[in-house]
């Protein structure tokens, strides 16, 4: 299938075709004795992901584990559907996200407030998962991939308070979720992902430092794809955070409202990103999941908490 890319080490990148777009949200299959899906994509992507797993030889009773880096709907919106397709799979998530997978009503209500009418086309509805099938992770945890291979989780808040990074003992791959920002392979652009309500600069930088300390061989971005220039990329992740926070802090201290702050930050950061100078489709792809309005709103929300 043309939405599957073999990355080596029995790891397969699956384009979940979020909202019909290509190259926006990836899921990953680690194929071995105990096949593990990292990130489900959205609910509307679940049939696409199932077809990909089928073509890779993973049948309904074969999938051992589904793990999500965090419970934002572009990463975990399909958990309930995927859990239904694969009745043997254990669902693994950080403890701060577990109850929302069992009872998504509050998560869906707040997502609906943020996204409004775009909710159904972008994400669809997160279906509940039986609580007995969910395993909650603490600060660290481990997933058995079979044959002595392990996927270890590391709590990495900042982008979201229920975020974990996952490192594969077999390959040194680190699944970074959104904690290192959003990477666009077509242009090599990297931009932070600092949405409300959880964004916190100190914990976000600490999580990037933790990722550096883990010494990964490769980063696998949910948005989007593999990066082998590990240390340089993580340094860039931290730098991007500082740039956006400094500019937003300036707008905040001048008393700008959100719309003016977004316009100012967008204008002052435009030159940093080739994607925004490329064609409209590439710019739209880049804006969709880490758009300036969401990033600036998240930083403003954090500033209101730490320096009202
Ligand atoms: Zn996220």
């Amino acid at each position: 299938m043309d939405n599957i890319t073999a990355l080596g080490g029995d790891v397969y990148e699956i384009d979940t075709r979020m909202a019909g777009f290509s190259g926006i949200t990836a899921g990953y299959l680690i194929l071995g004795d105990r096949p593990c899906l990292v990130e489900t994509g959205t609910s509307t992507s679940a049939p696409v992901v199932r077809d990909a797993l089928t073509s890779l030889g993973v049948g309904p009773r074969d999938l051992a584990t589904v793990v999500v880096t965090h419970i934002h709907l572009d990463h975990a919106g399909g958990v309930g559907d995927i859990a239904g397709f694969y009745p043997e799979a254990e669902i693994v998530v950080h403890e701060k996200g577990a109850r929302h997978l069992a009872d998504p009503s509050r998560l869906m209500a707040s997502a609906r407030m943020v996204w409004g009418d775009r909710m159904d086309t972008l994400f669809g509805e997160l279906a509940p998962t039986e609580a007995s099938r969910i395993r909650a992770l603490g600060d660290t945890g481990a997933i058995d991939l079979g044959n002595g291979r392990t996927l270890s989780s590391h709590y990495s808040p900042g982008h979201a308070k229920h975020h974990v990074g996952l490192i594969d003992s077999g390959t040194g791959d680190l699944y970074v979720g959104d904690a290192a920002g959003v990477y666009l392979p077509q242009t090599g652009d990297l931009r932070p992902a600092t949405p409300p309500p959880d964004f916190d600069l100190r914990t976000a930088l600490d999580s990037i430092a933790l990722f550096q300390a883990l010494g990964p061989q490769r980063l696998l971005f949910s948005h989007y794809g593999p990066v082998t220039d590990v240390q340089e990329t993580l340094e860039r992740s931290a730098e991007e955070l500082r740039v956006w926070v400094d500019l937003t802090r300036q707008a905040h201290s001048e008393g700008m409202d959100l719309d003016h702050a977004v316009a100012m930050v967008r204008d002052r950061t435009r030159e940093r990103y080739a994607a925004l100078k490329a064609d409209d489709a590439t710019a739209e792809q880049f804006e969709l999941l880490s758009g300036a309005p969401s990033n600036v709103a998240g930083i403003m929300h954090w500033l209101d908490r730490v320096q009202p």
Side-chain angles (χ1 to χ4, degrees), residues 70 72 74-75 159 178 195:
H70 64 300
H72 287 161
D74 46 330
H75 301 255
H159 169 80
D178 288 353

Side-chain angles (χ1 to χ4, degrees), residues 69-75 159-160 162-163 177-178 193 195 223 289:
T69 58
H70 64 300
I71 60 165
H72 287 161
L73 293 176
D74 46 330
H75 301 255
H159 169 80
H162 38 72
H163 194 291
D178 288 353
H223 323 285
L289 291 176

Side-chain angles (χ1 to χ4, degrees), residues 182-191 233 236 272-275 286:
V182 167
Y183 175 77
L184 193 66
Q186 294 94 320
T187 58
D189 284 313
L190 180 66
R191 191 155 72 164
T233 301
R236 172 89 190 274
R272 297 179 69 79
Y273 310 114
F286 195 48

